[in-house]
């Protein structure tokens, strides 16, 4: 089982989240850093998955009027397809912080759609382009 830690901002866990996002989104996928770090990190809870104390995957979540919005899901390249992102997302879905929330939603890069489907997310609406990458909207309804 991977270790998952969460934080709001301004500590080592958040710094680890930033480094993973820079590596995956900015360096690997070529997303402009000002778009990736859009000024809304302070509103979110940041999650980082660790493998033997090494940060390997991250995501952030924010409660909105529509439910829990999951964003910025990223796994370092050498750790992909090993279950880290899935365990991280399961930790978010089961976080007591979201007790009473019945809807989780996200905009998934189309290449990651299958991962979210394994967790019960369903696509809705048409695919769209964001930062030059094809995405699909997905949601999961849960009962508490």
């Amino acid at each position: 089982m991977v270790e998952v830690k969460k934080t709001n901002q301004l500590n080592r866990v958040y710094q680890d989240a930033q480094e993973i996002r820079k590596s995956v989104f900015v360096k690997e996928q070529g997303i402009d850093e000002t778009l990736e770090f859009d000024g809304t990190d302070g509103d979110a809870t940041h999650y980082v998955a660790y493998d033997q104390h090494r940060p390997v995957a991250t995501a952030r979540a924010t409660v909105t009027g529509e439910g829990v919005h999951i964003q910025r899901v990223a796994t370092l390249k050498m750790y992909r397809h090993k279950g880290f992102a899935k365990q991280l997302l399961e930790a978010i879905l089961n976080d007591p912080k979201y007790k009473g929330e019945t809807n989780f939603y996200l905009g998934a890069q189309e290449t990651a759609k299958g991962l979210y489907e394994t967790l019960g997310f369903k696509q809705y609406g048409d695919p769209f382009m964001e930062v030059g990458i094809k995405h699909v909207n997905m949601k999961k309804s849960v009962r508490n």
Side-chain angles (χ1 to χ4, degrees), residues 107-112 126-136:
Q109 290 187 12
E110 192 172 58
T111 56
D126 295 324
F128 62 96
M129 294 298 286
E130 186 173 321
V131 296
I133 299 170
K134 195 171 189 180
H135 283 70
V136 293

Side-chain angles (χ1 to χ4, degrees), residues 54 91 132:
R54 177 170 169 72

Side-chain angles (χ1 to χ4, degrees), residues 66-128:
E66 298 174 48
V68 180
H69 190 192
I70 300 171
Q71 298 176 291
R72 306 307 200 266
V73 180
T75 304
L76 294 174
K77 193 171 193 170
M78 68 184 289
Y79 293 93
R80 291 184 195 147
H81 307 292
K82 296 181 180 181
F84 295 112
K86 186 173 184 177
Q87 290 180 58
L88 179 73
L89 290 162
E90 287 170 338
I92 294 170
L93 293 169
N94 294 308
D95 190 333
K97 176 179 185 153
Y98 307 121
K99 184 177 168 94
E101 295 291 339
T102 58
N103 192 45
F104 291 82
Y105 68 102
L106 51 87
Q109 290 187 12
E110 192 172 58
T111 56
K113 179 180 167 184
L115 165 66
Y116 300 110
E117 288 174 335
T118 67
L119 293 163
F121 283 84
K122 306 284 185 212
Q123 179 180 338
Y124 67 95
D126 295 324
F128 62 96

